[in-house]
Amino acid sequence: MTDFTSGFCAIVGRPNSGKSTLINSLVGKKVALSSSFPQTTRGESRYILHLPSCQAVLVDTPGIGKPRTLLGERLNGEALRSVASADMALFLTPADEELGKGDRRIIANLHSLLSKRKEGVSEWQIPVVAVVTKADAADREKLEEKMKAVEGAANFTKVLAVSSFTHYHMEKLEDLISSLLPAGPALYGPQEEEESVEKSASEIVRSAFLPLLRDELPHSLVVRCERAGERELLFKVYVEKESQKGIVIGKGGSVLSRVRKDALPDLKRLLGGNPSMKFEVKVAKDWQKDPKKLDFFGYY
């Protein structure tokens, strides 16, 4: 008999609910990309949380929102599939915002996926913890109101307020994860933990683009990385319209130069050296609505 636990912990919430920031705080370093822009996280990513008596695989899912395109529908579907196959789930909602329609839609989806009615009472099939994020951004009265609203929205296994920035209740969250995952040995060794360099580099560069673009362009952008050498990276940047290419490139290449500068520190940490970056900007017309192009970009 062992007291060690392990398993998959899916992290869900609407866009900008603090999923990636929470993961970085738990893991203790910047591994998940975060920004104030929707769709910063596209697709499922996994990160390993090592605790004294637990190895938790944190599954960062795309923000679940009301889809406007086929891409949005596929991202929602991927997030829900991640939850359905997990050993536990964290539902995130920020303290400084009311529990809105988007939150309640996600809670309804969680119930349809993870709960069954027994003697007229709905019971979770796996632990589902509601995490009220950004506790430092709300005063005590507002935080208490949000906690009560969350508690009344569903019979969560636990409701906990945390702050990734002040580390408020982060140890309690770690203890919860450790206690709620099933008993079992570590699932991954050190050599299995690293994501592909190309995928990580692509996400670093896409994240660097987001604050420099306007309106719909963050949604229209895809970045794919190809290795051209040990520390030579070629980034193919796709947009949906010919008119968007100039915005992505910038006058005299100014936007690409800024992206190169902003992405370099994270790419250095990823590669352990000073990489060279080249960019090709291409048009994939209306790719968010085109099933074949979505398949090509890996959004199934």
Side-chain angles (χ1 to χ4, degrees), residues 10 29 46 51 72 76 110 114 141-142 156 158 225 235 241:
K29 59 183 179 180
R46 298 178 178 184
L51 299 172
N76 281 356
L110 291 174
L114 303 176
E141 183 178 351
K142 191 168 186 178
F156 289 108
K158 181 76 174 179
C225 174
F235 294 96
K241 301 175 182 177

Side-chain angles (χ1 to χ4, degrees), residues 51-300:
L51 299 172
S53 60
C54 175
Q55 186 191 76
V57 183
L58 306 176
V59 183
D60 188 16
T61 65
I64 301 175
K66 189 173 182 179
R68 297 180 299 133
T69 63
L70 181 58
L71 172 64
E73 292 177 9
R74 290 194 176 187
L75 292 181
N76 281 356
E78 181 166 357
L80 294 173
R81 285 192 297 274
S82 297
V83 175
S85 60
D87 297 293
M88 67 174 293
L90 303 182
F91 162 65
L92 272 56
T93 180
D96 58 345
E97 299 178 25
E98 293 184 359
L99 195 72
K101 291 181 179 179
D103 294 307
R104 296 183 188 279
R105 187 182 303 115
I106 294 171
I107 293 171
N109 283 326
L110 291 174
H111 268 295
S112 66
L113 281 171
L114 303 176
S115 69
K116 293 183 180 179
R117 295 192 69 82
K118 184 178 180 181
E119 297 179 356
V121 178
S122 181
E123 294 184 354
W124 297 110
Q125 301 305 296
I126 63 171
V128 180
V129 176
V131 180
V132 178
T133 58
K134 307 179 186 180
D136 57 300
D139 58 34
R140 177 176 294 182
E141 183 178 351
K142 191 168 186 178
L143 180 58
E144 289 177 354
E145 288 178 0
K146 183 60 179 278
M147 294 284 285
K148 287 180 181 178
V150 174
E151 289 168 354
N155 185 29
F156 289 108
T157 307
K158 181 76 174 179
V159 179
L160 182 68
V162 305
S163 169
S164 298
F165 294 102
T166 65
H167 302 289
Y168 175 69
H169 282 174
M170 292 301 293
E171 286 189 9
K172 285 189 176 182
L173 180 57
E174 291 178 355
D175 291 342
L176 262 179
I177 293 171
S178 182
S179 66
L180 293 175
L181 284 173
L187 300 174
Y188 291 95
Q191 72 280 5
E192 299 172 293
E193 292 185 22
E194 296 297 327
E195 283 198 273
S196 77
V197 169
E198 291 82 2
K199 179 180 178 182
S200 297
S202 297
E203 290 302 289
I204 288 169
V205 168
R206 187 169 67 85
S207 182
F209 268 110
L210 296 183
L212 305 177
L213 305 178
R214 62 176 185 266
D215 301 328
E216 296 302 308
L217 250 176
H219 298 274
S220 300
L221 194 74
V222 174
V223 178
R224 291 171 65 90
C225 174
E226 297 178 5
R227 294 290 290 265
E230 185 178 351
R231 290 194 176 89
E232 296 176 275
L233 303 176
L234 170 63
F235 294 96
K236 294 183 178 180
V237 182
Y238 295 86
V239 293
E240 291 190 288
K241 301 175 182 177
E242 190 69 33
S243 60
Q244 294 172 333
K245 288 179 66 175
I247 300 172
V248 168
I249 295 170
K251 186 176 181 179
S254 59
V255 172
L256 293 181
S257 295
R258 178 66 183 274
V259 167
R260 183 180 283 106
K261 178 182 177 182
D262 292 348
L264 187 58
D266 286 332
L267 289 174
K268 280 183 176 180
R269 282 190 287 271
L270 177 67
L271 294 170
N274 193 17
S276 66
M277 288 175 267
K278 295 181 180 180
F279 294 91
E280 293 181 4
V281 181
K282 302 184 175 186
V283 176
K285 187 176 179 182
D286 295 329
W287 66 264
Q288 292 188 75
K289 303 174 184 177
D290 187 322
K292 290 183 179 180
K293 289 172 184 172
L294 286 170
D295 290 345
F296 173 74
F297 291 136
Y299 302 123
Y300 303 110

